[in-house]
């Protein structure tokens, strides 16, 4: 299976290159960066620390998408929108790990999914997707007497908040309760806020150091708490999940899928 990695110079881009190189029957055919990037022309294997592979980092995705079966994309919302359109034209698999997507961005992905196989998730690790499924079930089992709080921490360089994973967990909790996160999500608290509103789902965002990704879902009742957590220590878990998703998506019809579909966890 032939892969293109976009955002090749980033932390996740390099991890994706390594994951493709370490997966049987998978071949990297192109590594893409933005126009003007200082890494253009560098060997992508050396950039990712796996040794020279003869594939120079380029800035022209169009011709590359026409020659591959899948593109792995952990970039930015604007870039992902453009890549989704190209994936639709090429009718390939587009694995999207980009976070900070707006409703309008997701609508663009929905449109592209009429021709492409879009697989999108705020987090592509097996552990986090199991945590998401468990969160949904626990939220359904415990009524609003149990307050739900989601705590996440990432490295100092992360630009969006809450994290895509935290929002994914929030959506799962809301689904379990049969409510809309848009109506019950609380993202900031400052000053005299008053008592906590029954049924709200709170988010706390921490940033610092080199933390790859820690997430905790707290169900706080009277006299007891249920705490579900996932700690990531290596970006490889996300990269391996993305490659797994692409391989799965290659055999699917065009559509907009999630990692729950890939892992057989969808309801």
């Amino acid at each position: 299976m032939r892969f293109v990695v976009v955002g090749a110079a980033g932390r996740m881009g390099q991890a994706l290159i390594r994951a493709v190189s370490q997966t049987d029957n998978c071949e990297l055919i192109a590594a893409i960066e933005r126009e003007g990037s200082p890494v253009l022309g560098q060997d992508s294997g050396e950039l990712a620390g796996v040794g020279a592979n003869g594939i120079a980092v380029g800035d022209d995705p169009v011709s590359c998408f026409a020659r591959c079966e899948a593109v792995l994309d952990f970039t930015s919302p604007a870039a992902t929108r453009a890549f989704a359109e190209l994936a639709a034209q090429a009718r390939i698999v587009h694995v999207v790990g980009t976070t900070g997507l707006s409703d309008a961005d997701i609508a663009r992905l929905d449109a592209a999914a009429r021709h492409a196989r879009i697989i999108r998730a705020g987090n592509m690790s097996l552990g986090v997707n199991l945590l998401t499924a468990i969160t949904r079930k626990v939220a359904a089992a415990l009524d609003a007497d149990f307050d739900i709080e989601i705590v996440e921490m990432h490295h100092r360089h992360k630009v969006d908040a809450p994290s895509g994973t935290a929002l994914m967990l929030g959506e799962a909790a809301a689904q379990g309760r049969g409510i809309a996160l848009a109506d019950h999500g609380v993202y900031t608290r400052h000053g005299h806020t008053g008592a906590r509103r029954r049924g709200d789902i709170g988010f706390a965002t921490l940033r610092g150091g080199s933390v790859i990704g820690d997430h905790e879902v707290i169900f706080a009742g009277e006299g007891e708490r249920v705490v579900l957590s996932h700690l990531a220590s290596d970006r490889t878990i996300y990269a391996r999940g993305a490659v797994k998703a692409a391989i799965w998506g290659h055999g699917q019809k065009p559509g907009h899928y999630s990692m729950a579909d890939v892992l057989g966890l969808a309801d």
Side-chain angles (χ1 to χ4, degrees):
M1 190 170 175
R2 296 184 296 273
F3 284 79
V4 171
V5 170
V6 296
R11 294 179 183 85
M12 272 308 304
Q14 293 177 44
L16 291 166
I17 291 170
R18 291 193 293 271
V20 172
S21 72
Q22 294 163 1
T23 305
D24 291 341
N25 300 316
C26 292
E27 176 189 5
L28 181 74
I29 66 161
I32 302 297
E33 257 300 334
R34 68 187 185 283
E35 185 178 351
S37 170
V39 305
L40 292 178
Q42 290 187 26
D43 186 282
S44 59
E46 291 184 343
L47 181 67
V50 293
N53 59 15
I55 299 168
V57 178
D59 61 3
D60 176 20
V62 177
S63 61
C64 301
F65 280 32
R67 297 185 290 112
C68 75
E69 280 87 33
V71 57
L72 305 179
D73 174 10
F74 287 66
T75 56
S76 68
T80 291
R81 289 195 305 270
F83 292 139
E85 292 177 5
L86 293 176
Q89 293 170 18
R91 288 171 164 71
I92 58 176
V93 178
H94 182 192
V95 178
V96 177
T98 303
T99 56
L101 297 170
S102 67
D103 290 343
D105 295 329
I106 293 170
R108 295 277 288 275
L109 295 185
D110 285 336
R114 289 196 286 268
H115 301 291
R117 297 150 185 84
I118 306 287
I119 304 168
R120 177 180 60 87
N123 191 302
M124 294 195 174
S125 82
L126 173 60
V128 162
N129 281 279
L130 287 171
L131 174 62
T132 302
I134 294 168
T135 295
R136 186 181 300 109
K137 291 184 180 297
V138 174
L142 301 178
D143 65 20
D145 286 342
F146 280 79
D147 301 320
I148 302 175
E149 293 287 318
I150 297 170
V151 182
E152 59 101 340
M153 183 169 185
H154 284 82
H155 53 86
R156 64 169 65 96
H157 303 291
K158 188 167 178 61
V159 297
D160 59 305
S163 69
T165 302
L167 293 172
M168 187 168 76
L169 293 168
E171 288 286 359
Q175 290 168 10
R177 286 276 168 89
I179 59 177
L181 183 61
D183 298 329
H184 292 271
V186 176
Y187 303 96
T188 59
R189 294 187 178 108
H190 180 72
H192 188 74
T193 62
R196 190 186 198 282
R197 191 175 65 171
R198 179 181 170 86
D200 279 348
I201 298 174
F203 291 82
T205 297
L206 310 179
R207 294 287 178 267
S210 59
V211 178
I212 289 175
D214 295 350
H215 294 85
E216 207 171 67
V217 184
I218 303 168
F219 295 85
E222 290 293 331
E224 61 179 332
R225 283 176 293 160
V226 176
V227 181
L228 310 175
S229 67
H230 179 271
L231 309 178
S233 59
D234 190 339
R235 287 183 179 82
T236 301
I237 62 173
Y238 310 133
R240 285 198 301 258
V243 173
K244 180 182 178 72
I247 294 170
W248 176 88
H250 188 47
Q252 306 304 313
K253 296 178 180 179
H256 197 162
Y257 301 99
S258 70
M259 280 299 289
D261 296 307
V262 175
L263 299 172
L265 299 173
D267 293 334

